[in-house]
Amino acid sequence: MDILDKDSSDLNLAKNILQKGLKYHIDNDFLNAEKCYIEFINKGFNSPLVLSNYGIICFISGRISKAKELYLNSIKLFPHSPEAYSNLASILLDEGDCEKAEELLNKALKLKPQMYDALLNLGSVLLREGKLDQSEEIISKCFEFQPD
């Protein structure tokens, strides 16, 4: 259940846990951020941001299977949230599954056309597939959205 479907006391608890987790995450205190994300989930709350951030922590710490599980769960629960598609695509790209990565990145970009990370990764996928013209076109879009 999404946090917005909870009553006000549950909503306040969810917001409190989420705020603590995000602060820890921003401060690169991934151990405490992960604890908050786990608490959030164990209390029955769901959020694409929590699932994505928890997945990032798992990925960084080498727990790739857990990261995939979190991203797949996020896609299932929140199919209109592009971050999980893009993050899962990054893992698949690292694993050499360019076809599936390209599919997921295109889904992310349909939801959020100016998503810099998804554009950059799609450019990398197309480059690996030998589609140089398409890759150049996609990567040039990255510079339009983030010139620096």
Side-chain angles (χ1 to χ4, degrees):
M1 182 179 290
D2 192 315
I3 62 170
L4 297 177
D5 296 332
K6 299 287 187 174
D7 67 33
S8 63
S9 63
D10 284 343
L11 186 57
N12 287 335
L13 176 63
K15 285 181 180 179
N16 187 10
I17 297 168
L18 179 58
Q19 286 174 344
K20 281 180 18 184
L22 293 174
K23 174 151 181 18
Y24 287 131
H25 201 121
I26 289 167
D27 292 341
N28 293 321
D29 184 350
F30 298 131
L31 181 63
N32 283 312
E34 181 174 0
K35 287 178 184 177
C36 289
Y37 298 150
I38 291 170
E39 179 184 4
F40 186 90
I41 292 166
N42 286 343
K43 297 259 186 216
F45 305 125
N46 280 306
S47 161
L49 178 61
V50 169
L51 294 170
S52 183
N53 283 357
Y54 184 17
I56 290 167
I57 290 170
C58 291
F59 177 77
I60 290 169
S61 65
R63 294 174 287 154
I64 307 304
S65 295
K66 182 65 176 178
K68 281 183 178 180
E69 174 189 320
L70 290 162
Y71 297 143
L72 288 169
N73 192 30
S74 185
I75 289 167
K76 179 181 170 189
L77 294 172
F78 306 100
H80 301 291
S81 182
E83 287 76 17
Y85 293 104
S86 182
N87 291 341
L88 181 56
S90 293
I91 292 173
L92 296 175
L93 183 58
D94 286 346
E95 294 176 346
D97 190 348
C98 291
E99 185 176 320
K100 185 66 177 173
E102 183 177 355
E103 178 186 320
L104 291 169
L105 290 166
N106 282 320
K107 285 182 182 181
L109 290 166
K110 277 186 179 176
L111 296 167
K112 189 174 178 181
Q114 296 181 357
M115 188 174 187
Y116 178 80
D117 293 341
L119 283 167
L120 193 58
N121 284 336
L122 182 57
S124 295
V125 168
L126 294 169
L127 187 61
R128 285 186 185 186
E129 293 176 332
K131 301 173 183 174
L132 302 178
D133 291 340
Q134 289 175 294
S135 176
E136 183 179 347
E137 180 182 330
I138 293 293
I139 291 173
S140 69
K141 286 183 183 180
C142 292
F143 293 111
E144 289 175 28
F145 301 135
Q146 286 194 357
D148 57 335

